[in-house]
Amino acid sequence: MTPFKKVMLFCHRWLGFISGLVVFIVSITGCIFCFQDEIQDAIHDHRHVTIQNAPYKQPSELISTVKKAYPSASPDYIYYYGKGRPAAVYANQGKDGYEFIYLNPYTAKITYHEKLETNFFVVVEYIHLYLLLPPEIGKWVVGVAVIIFMVIMVTGLILWWPKRKTDRKRSFTIKWGGRWRRVNYDLHNVLGFYATSIAIILAISGLAIAFEPVSKAIYNIANVGRDITYNVEVTEPKSDSLKRAGLAKLPVVDIAFAHARQQAPEAEMFLIHNDPALSGAIGVGAYAQSMHYSHATGFEFDKYNGKLLKSYIYDKKSPGLKLIEMNYDIHVGQIGGLTTKIIAFLASLICASLPITGFIIWLGKRKKAKSKTTKVRGAVHHKTHRRAVQAS
């Protein structure tokens, strides 16, 4: 083995020891989370409503219903998931935490409520993001482990890549008929090779979700050659809290929702956020497909008078903004529908297996090295003993 490959092997092995457990946890939880929408749709009736030949109830009506049931709640987020799905309000109850309240969008009747921390897939998501540590600590532990894992994938590819062309075809397949150690070796190397490109995409998209500098870097790379400033395009405007005299005649949240539906008539899903800060705005996102968070058109309104402050029309967004808004859909594999979900699921499953198969390889080599050392010591002892007998 060349000195360069020895360095690569050292880095691959010890970085694997450092990050292996975290990589396994993050990968297996990501694997579980891939199909969370499909699983929850199958087992929870409250995620469906009967489509009615009637308009949606206004956001203000949903808020009013929630306020009657939860007087101390601050309903800052409102969701219209689609015609056959419920609306929902995410309400802050202060000391009592957050409540996720589902309502029939055609009647404004509450159909179900839950605290998100009791939802299995939300717990899985928090493990995936933070390992159940405090978020500011957990995201760094996970982030560093993911970066290390990307280095491991590259070093592994360098170590595995066959020198001779004649060996490449054999190196791309798993020898299922071999001894179990050989099968484990192939599982680590061959599956690792096939998963590398997808794993790196999933890793980068995850880092972009967790860390704004990564998101900003992706934005700038995608916008190379364009005179567009990240802070100008992404920063949300503020309401003018000093000018409250011209209050809107209708609830501003209703005005905002009506405008978004008019400007994005083909959208299936709408998310409304009423920033509770004094200068906070009311934002509405209109999404092309239910439960997908890319291809969005957005609007920001002054919460006091309903004035439109800013529009984020999808077709007018820069390539960089479109790309970073795809991060979630890319990360969970739903960007291309069922096919890419399956690919992301399998890639995550393979990534979860790599620390295990790698550890087994290391353990086998360690035992083999110990066995050789024992044999050498035994041979030396036998030779020394024989010479001693001959001398006597």
Side-chain angles (χ1 to χ4, degrees):
M1 184 180 289
T2 63
F4 173 72
K5 283 206 168 183
K6 285 182 179 180
V7 172
M8 290 295 100
L9 179 60
F10 179 85
C11 293
H12 187 81
R13 179 181 296 160
W14 288 102
L15 289 176
F17 284 138
I18 293 169
S19 66
L21 180 60
V22 176
V23 168
F24 172 78
I25 293 172
V26 170
S27 298
I28 203 68
T29 51
C31 182
I32 293 169
F33 194 79
C34 274
F35 289 98
Q36 62 96 11
D37 279 328
E38 289 80 0
I39 294 171
Q40 293 201 83
D41 284 347
I43 63 178
H44 295 311
D45 291 338
H46 66 261
R47 287 172 65 94
H48 306 276
V49 297
T50 302
I51 298 176
Q52 299 181 23
N53 186 22
Y56 286 155
K57 290 294 184 181
Q58 293 295 334
S60 60
E61 295 179 79
L62 303 185
I63 292 172
S64 177
T65 300
V66 169
K67 289 290 287 182
K68 287 178 182 177
Y70 303 90
S72 63
S74 174
D76 301 327
Y77 293 87
I78 304 164
Y79 305 77
Y80 289 87
Y81 285 115
K83 291 182 179 180
R85 292 185 177 274
V89 173
Y90 188 46
N92 182 357
Q93 297 195 82
K95 293 181 179 179
D96 293 331
Y98 287 86
E99 193 82 20
F100 207 73
I101 303 141
Y102 292 90
L103 305 96
N104 187 311
Y106 305 104
T107 64
K109 180 182 177 181
I110 293 176
T111 57
Y112 189 79
H113 67 95
E114 68 175 343
K115 290 190 179 298
L116 288 185
E117 58 266 29
T118 64
N119 184 296
F120 171 76
F121 287 100
V122 172
V123 175
V124 168
E125 184 181 17
Y126 268 73
I127 295 172
H128 182 77
L129 294 172
Y130 313 120
L131 303 177
L132 292 183
L133 296 170
E136 286 306 313
I137 297 174
K139 78 171 185 177
W140 281 102
V141 175
V142 171
V144 170
V146 168
I147 292 170
I148 290 173
F149 179 66
M150 291 170 66
V151 175
I152 291 172
M153 296 296 281
V154 174
T155 56
L157 194 62
I158 293 170
L159 290 168
W160 167 85
W161 192 259
K163 292 180 180 178
R164 295 175 297 184
K165 289 183 178 180
T166 54
D167 293 337
R168 289 179 186 174
K169 185 176 180 180
R170 184 176 60 188
S171 300
F172 289 131
T173 58
I174 299 171
K175 300 168 185 63
W176 294 106
R179 297 176 63 185
W180 75 269
R181 288 188 186 278
R182 178 66 195 192
V183 173
N184 179 77
Y185 182 84
D186 285 348
L187 287 172
H188 186 77
N189 289 283
V190 178
L191 293 184
F193 165 74
Y194 285 120
T196 294
S197 58
I198 303 299
I200 289 176
I201 291 172
L202 295 177
I204 293 173
S205 61
L207 290 171
I209 292 170
F211 300 100
E212 188 177 7
V214 179
S215 180
K216 189 173 181 178
I218 292 172
Y219 176 91
N220 290 330
I221 291 170
N223 283 337
V224 168
R226 294 171 179 262
D227 185 20
I228 302 172
T229 305
Y230 176 85
N231 292 334
V232 172
E233 188 173 20
V234 174
T235 302
E236 298 176 356
K238 301 295 183 182
S239 296
D240 190 347
S241 59
L242 299 178
K243 296 181 180 179
R244 305 189 194 184
L247 295 178
K249 294 180 180 179
L250 295 174
V252 173
V253 69
D254 294 350
I255 295 173
F257 183 50
H259 182 88
R261 296 195 72 185
Q262 182 182 24
Q263 296 299 313
E266 301 300 320
E268 292 184 0
M269 182 172 71
F270 296 88
L271 305 187
I272 305 168
H273 176 218
N274 183 3
D275 188 340
L278 194 63
S279 61
I282 292 179
V284 183
Y287 299 84
Q289 188 175 353
S290 181
M291 313 307 287
H292 288 65
Y293 297 88
S294 57
H295 298 81
T297 290
F299 307 92
E300 297 287 339
F301 299 84
D302 188 300
K303 64 161 56 177
Y304 301 111
N305 55 34
K307 179 183 177 182
L308 178 64
L309 300 175
K310 191 172 183 179
S311 296
Y312 305 87
I313 307 300
Y314 178 75
D315 292 337
K316 295 181 179 179
K317 291 179 180 178
S318 69
L321 185 56
K322 289 179 180 179
L323 184 58
I324 63 174
E325 287 182 347
M326 290 181 186
N327 272 333
Y328 176 83
D329 286 356
I330 292 172
H331 192 63
V332 300
Q334 66 183 18
I335 190 67
L338 181 61
T339 300
T340 50
K341 271 201 173 189
I342 293 172
I343 292 171
F345 173 85
L346 294 175
S348 298
L349 189 61
I350 291 170
C351 290
S353 75
L354 294 178
I356 298 171
T357 53
F359 181 75
I360 292 171
I361 292 171
W362 172 80
L363 203 60
K365 288 183 177 180
R366 191 166 178 266
K367 286 182 178 180
K368 192 174 181 180
K370 279 187 176 181
S371 177
K372 283 184 179 179
T373 303
T374 302
K375 285 181 181 179
V376 169
R377 286 177 178 173
V380 171
H381 175 75
H382 177 72
K383 189 181 288 186
T384 304
H385 177 72
R386 186 174 62 183
R387 286 177 179 175
V389 171
Q390 288 174 350
S392 64

